[in-house]
Amino acid sequence: MFCYGIGTVSELSCDTHHELMILLQQWGLRVNKPYIRICGTPTEVIDYCRHLEDIREQFFYEIDGAVIKVNSLDMQTRLGQKSRSPRWSMAYKFKPTQETTTITRIHVQVGRTGALTPVAHLKPVELSGVIVRRATLHNQEEIDKKDIREGDLVIVQRAGDVIPEVVKAIKSKRTGREKRFTMSSRCPVCGSDVVKREGEVVVRCPNSNCPAQVKGAFKHFVSKGAMNIDGLGDKIIAQLIQKGLIEEEVDLYRLDLDDLLKLDKIKEKSATNLLRAIENSKKTTLARFIYALGIRHVGEYVAVILADHFGYIERLGKATEEDLITIDGIGPQIAESIYAYFEDQHNRDHINWLIQTGIELEAPSLPPASPAAGKTFVITGSLSSMKRSEAKEVITRNGGRIASSVSGNTDYLIAGESPGSKLRKARNLGIAILNEDELLKLFGDDRE
Ligand SMILES: [Zn+2]
């Protein structure tokens, strides 16, 4: 690996990015020193990017571009960030590498959201070090526009880690045996009539019980960025579904050794390992869990934003569309999709079942959306509208801490009936004193 930046730091003894790279190197961390270059003018930057593109094949690893950064750390701070990217750094992407090969056939894939995607099967071809056998054709409109046919000699490309795609057909090489391709109006897996929503180019299978969609949802749920269940591959998922052992995600957590031994080609040892992997996946983060739910438009990045903002799945579930839209990085389409997901009782049940199987979501370190985050609370006297344990739960769930005695570190004293000496002490120290109603107001009353 090559280090190229730092996260949080308390004190930094350098003024420029370049000095920082040298510092990292002095600390024994590897940086890509031979290729880091300070450029004085835009022309120098462009020339150097072109030079790197010229020599890209000489690297023993793959690169897809270069990153241009403002060197002064002070200017970096002043330029700041947009929601996804800093204003002081930008990527220069090289032209994707291309190759020529033949489309042997085109077949339609059904994804977990029911989207039908035509995929070109290719005569295997090496593209920047990887053997490519398939490439996406996106949709029928794309096929028609590019006039791509089965049997065509085509140019394929791969940019970075993006799925390979067909750029164009070489029409001058046609023999007359190429076949035009039109997607069927039925789902190739379950036979349902496909639908096309207004404003979308994608056609979908509307059947939520379509085996392809069910399998796709499981694949997504267990994937690396989601619940990360190692060893639960496509073939095992397909068998588990086929044998009726799993219908919904929660069923995965009910599998036992006997169930797994019913599968073909699985030995006791790998079955035991798989059960352990399933068990281990229960301890996870909120972001992974949100991503695993497979809410439309909620990818890994959005899941992290939501987890950071809400801290707890219950709070996310109660968010209104307006709440969601105000979050940086969440647009109206995402907000609508999340709101609709949690409006559906079946989805809420689904989450509850998962939690009941023992899925443990790591508590957030600091829920930034909460006024209680990082604050210390002391409770005194008897509370009338809730139990003391409930009050404590509300506070800790919102990121606050509970202390037993009043001190200079106390931020709030919650005073019930007959408060006693703690109230006096808090008054003397000038600490904010809240009654029960005020406490609940502070958190927008989110008791369960
Ligand atoms: Zn279908």
Side-chain angles (χ1 to χ4, degrees):
M1 81 168 185
F2 296 116
C3 301
Y4 60 89
I6 48 165
T8 307
V9 64
S10 57
E11 257 169 69
L12 199 57
S13 57
C14 53
D15 300 320
T16 67
H17 183 75
H18 191 256
E19 285 170 31
L20 174 65
M21 292 299 104
I22 308 287
L23 197 61
L24 290 178
Q25 196 185 29
Q26 284 167 358
W27 290 344
L29 297 162
R30 202 158 152 207
V31 298
N32 202 349
K33 187 116 174 289
Y35 297 103
I36 296 171
R37 168 97 40 112
I38 302 177
C39 297
T41 64
T43 316
E44 264 183 66
V45 171
I46 294 165
D47 287 347
Y48 189 52
C49 285
R50 290 197 176 133
H51 170 69
L52 286 174
E53 186 159 9
D54 285 343
I55 62 164
R56 68 188 288 195
E57 300 297 335
Q58 297 167 20
F59 289 81
F60 61 90
Y61 44 84
E62 250 192 272
I63 58 170
D64 69 345
V67 177
I68 305 145
K69 291 178 176 175
V70 170
N71 198 27
S72 153
L73 296 182
D74 177 47
M75 275 194 217
Q76 287 188 4
T77 314
R78 280 156 61 194
L79 283 161
Q81 298 257 141
K82 283 187 287 186
S83 69
R84 266 183 124 133
S85 55
R87 289 198 185 86
W88 46 266
S89 139
M90 69 183 291
Y92 172 86
K93 293 280 181 195
F94 299 155
K95 277 188 215 78
T97 47
Q98 300 187 329
E99 274 305 330
T100 307
T101 186
T102 308
I103 296 182
T104 51
R105 69 184 182 97
I106 295 173
H107 115 275
V108 176
Q109 225 168 37
V110 186
R112 72 182 166 89
T113 61
L116 269 57
T117 314
V119 176
H121 289 240
L122 309 167
K123 251 192 206 144
V125 61
E126 192 181 318
L127 254 184
S128 46
V130 178
I131 305 290
V132 173
R133 292 185 170 81
R134 287 160 180 229
T136 177
L137 294 167
H138 302 288
N139 52 59
Q140 185 71 49
E141 282 174 29
E142 191 83 3
I143 294 175
D144 296 343
K145 199 170 73 195
K146 293 179 178 167
D147 184 22
I148 290 165
R149 305 178 190 181
E150 281 180 320
D152 261 341
L153 192 68
V154 291
I155 293 171
V156 287
Q157 72 175 24
R158 206 176 136 252
D161 53 0
V162 180
I163 311 159
E165 62 173 359
V166 175
V167 183
K168 64 174 184 183
I170 305 172
K171 290 169 193 165
S172 59
K173 299 274 177 169
R174 278 186 180 155
T175 62
R177 284 197 298 271
E178 295 77 16
K179 277 193 291 182
R180 282 181 190 278
F181 178 83
T182 308
M183 281 167 72
S184 149
S185 59
R186 284 166 188 276
C187 169
V189 178
C190 72
S192 304
D193 286 335
V194 299
V195 291
K196 192 170 168 180
R197 289 206 201 111
E198 213 175 311
E200 281 191 350
V201 278
V202 188
V203 290
R204 295 179 194 277
C205 163
N207 172 15
S208 60
N209 293 317
C210 171
Q213 291 187 45
V214 174
K215 203 175 127 192
F218 274 111
K219 268 173 69 179
H220 172 78
F221 186 79
V222 307
S223 66
K224 252 201 159 79
M227 300 306 283
N228 191 21
I229 304 180
D230 208 22
L232 200 50
D234 287 15
K235 282 179 187 146
I236 296 183
I237 290 174
Q239 278 197 66
L240 288 167
I241 296 172
Q242 195 212 337
K243 292 194 192 292
L245 291 165
I246 54 172
E247 273 176 29
E248 300 204 298
E249 283 82 346
V250 66
D251 299 330
L252 286 171
Y253 295 100
R254 296 180 181 139
L255 291 170
D256 58 26
L257 196 61
D258 288 342
D259 292 333
L260 293 181
L261 291 175
K262 285 177 197 151
L263 307 179
D264 303 334
K265 291 182 198 154
I266 189 161
K267 298 261 162 55
E268 192 160 334
K269 182 152 187 273
S270 49
T272 313
N273 286 343
L274 184 52
L275 284 177
R276 192 178 306 128
I278 293 173
E279 188 60 31
N280 289 345
S281 77
K282 285 183 178 174
K283 261 199 169 45
T284 188
T285 63
L286 178 60
R288 279 173 174 277
F289 185 70
I290 294 170
Y291 175 63
L293 294 174
I295 305 168
R296 196 169 294 171
H297 306 306
V298 179
E300 283 181 76
Y301 176 72
V302 170
V304 169
I305 294 180
L306 294 171
D308 284 349
H309 186 88
F310 291 100
Y312 296 87
I313 192 76
E314 297 81 4
R315 289 175 54 138
L316 172 62
K318 284 179 192 156
T320 63
E321 264 183 85
E322 290 74 46
D323 293 339
L324 290 160
I325 289 175
T326 56
I327 303 167
D328 200 15
I330 309 288
Q333 197 186 29
I334 303 175
E336 191 196 326
S337 167
I338 296 166
Y339 183 72
Y341 180 89
F342 284 98
E343 269 291 281
D344 187 332
Q345 182 62 43
H346 178 79
N347 291 333
R348 289 206 300 270
D349 290 343
H350 173 65
I351 292 171
N352 287 335
W353 291 329
L354 284 167
I355 301 288
Q356 278 161 24
T357 59
I359 285 181
E360 247 179 82
L361 303 175
E362 201 176 274
S365 46
L366 262 193
S370 164
K375 298 278 197 292
T376 301
F377 290 73
V378 173
I379 304 175
T380 183
S382 55
L383 306 177
S384 57
S385 68
M386 61 179 129
K387 287 194 204 117
R388 191 174 272 236
S389 60
E390 280 180 314
K392 284 184 178 172
E393 217 248 295
V394 170
I395 291 166
T396 48
R397 187 145 39 85
N398 282 282
R401 282 189 295 263
I402 307 281
S404 54
S405 62
V406 174
S407 74
N409 294 325
T410 310
D411 293 294
Y412 293 103
L413 180 79
I414 312 302
E417 299 269 344
S418 6
S421 66
K422 282 181 187 167
L423 180 63
R424 218 174 311 123
K425 194 165 176 196
R427 279 203 180 117
N428 289 339
L429 289 167
I431 289 160
I433 296 161
L434 304 178
N435 61 30
E436 282 169 65
D437 288 346
E438 287 165 332
L439 169 67
L440 293 176
K441 234 177 250 159
L442 189 63
F443 301 126
D445 194 357
D446 75 338
R447 280 176 299 169
E448 287 305 295

